[in-house]
Amino acid sequence: MSLRERTNRAPRGSKRVLAAAAVLGALPAVLAAPPASAVAGCYGDCQPGVVRSGGVIKYDAPVGVNDQITVSVSGGIVTVADPAATLTVGTGCTLVTSHEATCPSTAFTSMVIRGLDGDDVITDNTGFAARLMGNDGADRIVGGSGDDTLSGGFGSDVLQGGGGSDTVSYAENAARIGVRADLDGATGDDGSAEDGPAGARDTIAADVENLEGTNTDDTLIGNAGPNVIDGAGGHNQVQGLSGPDRLTGRGGGTVDGGADTDHCTSDLRGLSGPADTFVGCESTEVVN
């Protein structure tokens, strides 16, 4: 072998080093595109942009869009429209335009609509029981005439129940800090610092009847009507005020029925701490 050949040949192992460097150099581009499951609120069978039906009608909005989602029903057909998004369809549904899909209403009895990120408006004009979730962003969620569960996620949200017996839930994210929420209809006084500064947080409208708290310590307050309030987790302060209420704490807090005939429960299943303190409750129950 000549000296020239020795000089031009790459050192032993250098090709492997260069190949490894090329792979490492490509990693940032790969990591910069997270899978759908990395998007806040996108979990389980989440499929952004896809309208589908399989016993439950589902629509997960596309990522990075301020959605304007409307769900309506007429003549046995449910229409899901989102003018801000480009839709596709899955099982049981038909694409009408790139912004509208239909599904036969006989194929399901409930709905799950997730706005994912962005400042979304979700309006339910049906009577089906629905779970409507805004997730991150400043969202407006309007329930239909059925019994709906509304979850705004992080950000300053407006949550309106519509008809039926409706629930605002803060249990959608296990990592949430404790909230203070009430059913008086006042503007910006619900949620926590994760939803905005004091006075500019969530607004729970007066047509919402029920509350579900977080996994930590909450203050949850009803109104003059019949309320169902569940502390979900933590040591909670639950107050029914007037009206015949059904209130549940998770131990170590206070459950206060207020006026009228109230049923109060301290649910200690899976817990080792003390029961809640009952105040103003006509009937009480401790569940172990």
Side-chain angles (χ1 to χ4, degrees), residues 6-49:
R6 290 181 183 272
T7 303
N8 291 340
R9 174 172 291 186
R12 181 173 295 178
S14 63
K15 291 182 179 181
R16 289 193 297 269
V17 172
L18 290 172
V23 172
L24 290 172
L27 278 178
V30 174
L31 296 176
S37 59
V39 177
C42 192
Y43 51 85
D45 66 344
C46 180
Q47 301 177 45

Side-chain angles (χ1 to χ4, degrees), residues 106-117:
T106 55
F108 64 91
T109 57
S110 62
M111 300 188 301
V112 178
I113 308 294
R114 292 190 275 203
L116 298 183
D117 59 353

Side-chain angles (χ1 to χ4, degrees), residues 51-279:
V51 180
R52 58 213 187 271
S53 174
V56 177
I57 191 168
K58 296 182 179 182
Y59 172 53
D60 306 304
V63 176
V65 177
N66 295 329
D67 299 285
Q68 303 285 321
I69 304 168
T70 301
V71 187
S72 56
V73 60
S74 178
I77 298 296
V78 172
T79 299
V80 179
D82 189 356
T86 299
L87 307 183
T88 58
V89 293
T91 303
C93 299
T94 302
L95 192 65
V96 178
T97 72
S98 59
H99 308 299
E100 184 177 301
T102 59
C103 313
S105 63
T106 55
F108 64 91
T109 57
S110 62
M111 300 188 301
V112 178
I113 308 294
R114 292 190 275 203
L116 298 183
D117 59 353
D119 300 337
D120 305 314
V121 177
I122 302 174
T123 305
D124 175 14
N125 291 325
T126 78
F128 298 107
R131 187 168 187 91
L132 310 173
M133 295 175 280
N135 297 311
D136 291 355
D139 308 305
R140 176 181 291 271
I141 303 177
V142 183
S145 58
D147 298 344
D148 304 313
T149 299
L150 317 176
S151 299
F154 299 130
S156 177
D157 306 307
V158 177
L159 307 166
Q160 299 172 246
S165 181
D166 306 302
T167 301
V168 164
S169 174
Y170 285 96
E172 82 288 351
N173 189 319
R176 244 193 186 278
I177 65 174
V179 300
R180 183 200 180 280
D182 58 55
L183 300 176
D184 63 4
T187 300
D189 69 340
D190 304 303
S192 71
E194 292 176 316
D195 301 298
R201 296 175 181 173
D202 292 342
T203 297
I204 300 176
D207 61 358
V208 173
E209 291 79 16
N210 313 312
L211 285 171
E212 182 180 23
T214 72
N215 285 332
T216 186
D217 302 349
D218 305 309
T219 297
L220 306 173
I221 305 172
N223 59 21
N227 307 128
V228 177
I229 303 179
D230 187 344
H235 308 310
N236 305 295
Q237 304 299 312
V238 179
Q239 301 174 35
L241 301 184
S242 55
D245 305 309
R246 298 185 67 84
L247 312 175
T248 301
R250 298 293 175 172
T254 300
V255 180
D256 185 344
D260 290 311
T261 303
D262 307 299
H263 181 78
C264 302
T265 300
S266 183
D267 187 347
L268 304 180
R269 286 175 293 183
L271 304 173
S272 59
D276 295 282
T277 299
F278 297 126
V279 178

